[in-house]
Amino acid sequence: MANKKGKAKRVIITLMVVFVFIILALIYGYIDFEFKKIGESDITPLSDWRSYVSYLLEKVPVVKNYVEYTPRKVIKPQQYYSEIYETYIDKIEEDRVALEQKAMQLDAFEEELNQLQGTLAARQEELDLMEERLVSEKNAWESTKERFQDLADWFENGDVALLARAIASDEMGVEEIVGGLRLIDPGIAASIVGELAQINQDKAGRILANLSGKEVTR
């Protein structure tokens, strides 16, 4: 009978130990669960022992006058993540404003570049027209020079009387005659103009006026 009571007592004690162990395990698991939640707020449990000591000493008379207890500020996870979110929003807004300013600068640069291209295009067109005009004037001068040289050869190798009668007609202008006379010997030119004066004194005078004061060279 005594053995049965002893066995029953041991069983009860064993069950109580198991029950207590289970209760302790549950308590430990819950504490660990709470610590992990607190850890999400960037707070490490049991690391702020100095504050705890200050908290205890603040309750001791006299000693509390030399101890200052400052509780640690606990931030809720919602507030913590809200602040992070707001920080990212501010950074995104700042980057957006910077990008808009850069885009405006690029637009202004593009507009300036387009204006410069338009100015260069107009300048190029002006230069092309100027080149065409110069080429045209050069060709005209080459043609005129060639005609003057043909007249000069004719004046030098022709009969003075026949030449005078030929240039006395209205078919040959004064400027054209003067252009040919400037390319020949001054003596021959003077003989031709003198002979012309006997036929058409007015035209001879206009020719001399164009030749006056200018060196007659070949």
Side-chain angles (χ1 to χ4, degrees):
M1 190 63 138
N3 289 334
K4 289 182 178 181
K5 288 182 179 181
K7 288 182 179 181
K9 187 177 180 179
R10 284 195 296 271
V11 170
I12 292 172
I13 293 172
T14 301
L15 290 175
M16 290 179 64
V17 170
V18 172
F19 178 76
V20 170
F21 177 78
I22 293 173
I23 294 299
L24 292 175
L26 291 174
I27 293 173
Y28 173 79
Y30 176 71
I31 293 174
D32 181 65
F33 171 73
E34 292 295 339
F35 278 7
K36 287 180 179 179
K37 287 201 303 182
I38 296 174
E40 292 178 355
S41 301
D42 198 23
I43 297 176
T44 304
L46 304 180
S47 63
D48 196 19
W49 58 272
R50 291 183 179 86
S51 295
Y52 178 66
V53 172
S54 299
Y55 171 74
L56 295 178
L57 293 176
E58 195 178 42
K59 299 181 180 299
V60 179
V62 181
V63 177
K64 66 180 181 179
N65 297 327
Y66 302 96
V67 177
E68 182 179 357
Y69 168 64
T70 304
R72 172 175 285 188
K73 182 180 180 181
V74 178
I75 303 176
K76 296 180 180 180
Q78 182 179 2
Q79 180 182 357
Y80 173 75
Y81 289 114
S82 296
E83 291 178 356
I84 293 178
Y85 175 75
E86 291 176 358
T87 302
Y88 278 118
I89 291 298
D90 292 341
K91 184 64 170 63
I92 291 173
E93 180 65 17
E94 183 179 331
D95 293 342
R96 184 188 65 80
V97 172
L99 288 175
E100 287 183 353
Q101 292 178 349
K102 182 65 68 175
M104 292 175 61
Q105 293 176 355
L106 290 176
D107 290 341
F109 177 75
E110 183 179 3
E111 183 178 356
E112 182 179 355
L113 182 61
N114 291 335
Q115 292 178 353
L116 180 60
Q117 288 178 343
T119 302
L120 290 176
R123 183 60 178 169
Q124 182 63 43
E125 184 177 357
E126 182 180 349
L127 291 175
D128 291 341
L129 292 174
M130 185 181 297
E131 183 180 3
E132 291 179 4
R133 184 167 61 252
L134 290 175
V135 171
S136 177
E137 292 177 356
K138 180 182 178 183
N139 292 335
W141 166 245
E142 292 292 341
S143 177
T144 302
K145 183 179 179 182
E146 184 178 353
R147 187 170 66 256
F148 287 165
Q149 187 61 53
D150 291 340
L151 282 174
D153 295 339
W154 180 43
F155 289 155
E156 280 190 328
N157 299 314
D159 181 79
V160 173
L162 294 175
L163 290 172
R165 285 195 295 270
I167 64 176
S169 67
D170 295 333
E171 293 182 1
M172 294 188 66
V174 173
E175 292 183 0
E176 186 177 6
I177 297 170
V178 171
L181 292 176
R182 285 190 181 135
L183 299 177
I184 64 175
D185 183 85
I188 298 175
S191 298
I192 295 174
V193 175
E195 188 70 25
L196 174 64
Q198 299 179 14
I199 303 172
N200 189 336
Q201 189 175 4
D202 179 67
K203 192 170 187 179
R206 285 185 286 138
I207 291 174
L208 287 175
N210 277 272
L211 292 171
S212 177
K214 298 178 182 178
E215 183 180 0
V216 179
T217 58
R218 183 183 179 97

